[in-house]
Amino acid sequence: MLDTHVRVKICGITRIEDAIAAVRSGADALGFVFYAGSPRFIHPEDARDIIRRMPPFVTTVGVFVNEERNRIEAMSRTSGIHSIQLHGSEHPEDCSGFDRPVFKALRVSGLESLASIQLYETAGILLDSAVPGTWGGTGTVPDWKCIGDFLDKDISGIRKRLILAGGLTAENVKMAVKIVRPWAVDVSSGVEFEPGIKNHEKMKEFTYAVHCATCA
């Protein structure tokens, strides 16, 4: 049995109606992608208009990929996001010195790729699938057992700041949570009609499945 409530982040929000539906479904956090190469890209000004209409205690996260620090800071101020997610090939030293909490995303391709986790002293570590030529949102599932086994041997408490992503859906998230036991899960393509357009029913089913996993 899991001893903590697993938080839910719904990423790739581009429309106010989807943001409202995500919050109503029970999402704890919303992600806004500020990487122009993503089909879920949103301008910081448009994200700001959505964020301003969100209720208290909903965390908003800006996703950046190999972006310059001054642009990250500028877009963060403009949008009003609470946290920064660095989803590219940023080094540990690139993740410090911001005025907002930072989550570092790492792409999992095997046990070797997990070894670098301990180099990042960020507020959160997000584990996604490694798919050549992409930076996430592919719907590809990482090796949960590999991740779970690695974390079982960890003595530094990484699970307390671990966010699991990669191919999660309402059908598989319960199993993923039980194997990996993350602090939070992150979903994007698994609750969409198409990139950037969320399926409100799938979001409800997803958050319900996560909550069931923590109390079973």
Side-chain angles (χ1 to χ4, degrees):
M1 180 175 178
L2 299 172
D3 56 6
T4 58
H5 164 65
V6 176
R7 282 76 175 172
V8 174
K9 172 173 170 270
I10 294 181
C11 201
I13 296 292
T14 62
R15 307 188 304 170
I16 181 61
E17 58 264 41
D18 293 345
I20 292 172
V23 172
R24 287 177 175 169
S25 75
D28 303 281
L30 304 177
F32 299 87
V33 180
F34 298 139
Y35 171 53
S38 169
R40 301 173 181 87
F41 169 75
I42 185 171
H43 291 283
E45 295 81 3
D46 294 330
R48 176 190 60 205
D49 294 341
I50 294 174
I51 291 169
R52 285 177 172 174
R53 295 177 60 181
M54 292 298 97
F57 306 121
V58 174
T59 299
T60 53
V61 183
V63 180
F64 302 89
V65 176
N66 298 328
E67 188 60 85
E68 295 178 1
R69 179 179 291 265
N70 63 339
R71 284 181 50 79
I72 293 174
E73 293 172 341
M75 287 189 276
S76 297
R77 288 193 298 270
T78 298
S79 61
I81 55 166
H82 299 122
S83 303
I84 293 167
Q85 180 176 315
L86 300 179
H87 211 96
S89 55
E90 299 88 2
H91 298 292
E93 59 269 23
D94 300 321
C95 301
S96 61
F98 291 98
D99 62 356
R100 292 165 171 78
V102 173
F103 305 150
K104 178 65 185 90
L106 299 174
R107 299 191 294 167
V108 179
S109 58
L111 192 59
E112 305 79 19
S113 60
L114 293 169
S116 63
I117 289 179
Q118 299 182 29
L119 300 177
Y120 292 89
E121 298 180 357
T122 49
I125 293 289
L126 185 146
L127 296 183
D128 201 354
S129 302
V131 178
T134 68
W135 295 105
T138 64
T140 303
V141 176
D143 187 335
W144 299 330
K145 188 177 187 306
C146 178
I147 296 171
D149 289 346
F150 174 84
L151 294 172
D152 285 343
K153 299 173 184 176
D154 171 59
I155 60 172
S156 59
I158 289 174
R159 268 198 174 97
K160 296 177 182 177
R161 56 192 177 104
L162 186 76
I163 306 160
L164 180 65
L168 295 176
T169 66
E171 291 72 32
N172 68 16
V173 71
K174 185 174 180 179
M175 181 62 69
V177 167
K178 287 184 176 297
I179 294 172
V180 178
R181 306 201 325 269
W183 180 79
V185 292
D186 184 309
V187 65
S188 185
S189 62
V191 292
E192 289 181 327
F193 286 114
E194 60 184 80
I197 307 300
K198 302 305 182 190
N199 181 317
H200 297 185
E201 192 60 33
K202 283 188 176 182
M203 288 194 290
K204 288 191 290 185
E205 292 171 356
F206 184 87
T207 54
Y208 178 76
V210 173
H211 296 155
C212 286
T214 64
C215 60

